[in-house]
Amino acid sequence: MLNQEKLRIPYPIVVEGKYDKIRLSNIVEAHIVTTDGFGLFRREEKRALLRRLAAASPLIVLTDSDGGGTVIRSHLTGMVPKDRLIQLYIPQIKGKEKRKAAPSAAGTLGVEGMDDALLYNLLKPYASDTTDPLTRAKENPLSKVDFFRDGLSGGANSAVRRDELAQSVGLPAGMTANALLEALRLLLTYEEYLALVGRDNDGNT
């Protein structure tokens, strides 16, 4: 763990999995979105979220420097305009992540196995003090309580209401309540959400 302050990155960072996200969380304050490995290929809601995020802000792509990471990076490049992607690459370093019993097929470390200082220096050029709304998701109070209160979960017509809300912000129908909640916290301020569902801060509709 570095003794320096965390880098504040105004762009969402796309990584492969949760352990990559945990590693980056040690050194940056940013939206870190996982592709869930190859799950990106079969999850339309994840692809739609990334397209929507890319429309609002460039995305930093930081996948592993192995075959799998290359395939995922290529897929992202095919679904998002190239000028909306900031391509960053980790070096190919032989080794094994501590949590794994054996090395990867390529025998190299992934993002989760990189030294904090290396990742810090890689991302430092993109740090900023910007107050872009995309950097403030942790402060967004939108929660499952709001979804239940607004009929987006726990009700007979909740799925229909979620589909209508999702499509109004450019996301696909069929998203689960948890997936839609994560997406909306990234894409909207709380006030924008309230306006969409027709409720004010005092709970009046």
Side-chain angles (χ1 to χ4, degrees), residues 3 55 65 75 78 82 87 99 103 109:
N3 293 324
S65 292
H75 189 77
K82 291 182 180 180
Q87 303 278 7
R99 69 178 180 86
L109 296 173

Side-chain angles (χ1 to χ4, degrees), residues 102-117:
S104 67
T108 56
L109 296 173
V111 171
E112 68 168 285
M114 290 294 108
D115 181 74
D116 280 354

Side-chain angles (χ1 to χ4, degrees), residues 14-18 33-43 45-46 72 182:
V14 182
V15 296
E16 293 182 38
K18 67 177 183 179
V33 183
T34 66
T35 68
D36 304 324
F38 294 132
L40 175 69
F41 301 162
R42 60 180 180 272
R43 292 185 60 194
E45 62 189 44
K46 181 71 72 170
I72 292 169
E182 177 188 6

Side-chain angles (χ1 to χ4, degrees), residues 1 13 39 41 44 58 68 99 110 124 126 136 142 164 171 186:
M1 179 67 182
I13 304 172
F41 301 162
E44 175 55 30
R99 69 178 180 86
K124 188 176 180 179
Y126 304 95
R136 299 199 300 266
L142 181 61
E164 292 173 347
L171 294 170
L186 290 171

Side-chain angles (χ1 to χ4, degrees), residues 7-112:
L7 297 170
R8 187 171 184 178
I9 307 295
Y11 312 121
I13 304 172
V14 182
V15 296
E16 293 182 38
K18 67 177 183 179
Y19 293 104
D20 301 330
K21 182 175 181 177
I22 290 170
R23 170 48 59 95
L24 286 191
S25 294
N26 290 333
I27 63 173
V28 302
E29 289 185 7
H31 287 314
I32 304 172
V33 183
T34 66
T35 68
D36 304 324
F38 294 132
L40 175 69
F41 301 162
R42 60 180 180 272
R43 292 185 60 194
E44 175 55 30
E45 62 189 44
K46 181 71 72 170
R47 294 195 298 273
L49 173 59
L50 290 170
R51 291 191 192 101
R52 184 71 170 78
L53 286 173
S57 166
L59 306 179
I60 292 176
V61 180
L62 187 59
T63 60
D64 294 349
S65 292
D66 58 10
T70 300
V71 170
I72 292 169
R73 188 185 293 272
S74 177
H75 189 77
L76 283 166
T77 303
M79 57 177 269
V80 173
K82 291 182 180 180
D83 64 353
R84 305 302 291 170
L85 298 176
I86 299 170
Q87 303 278 7
L88 297 185
Y89 298 87
I90 60 171
Q92 290 187 323
I93 299 174
K94 293 291 184 180
K96 176 185 73 69
E97 279 83 16
K98 292 180 180 179
R99 69 178 180 86
K100 294 180 179 178
S104 67
T108 56
L109 296 173
V111 171
E112 68 168 285

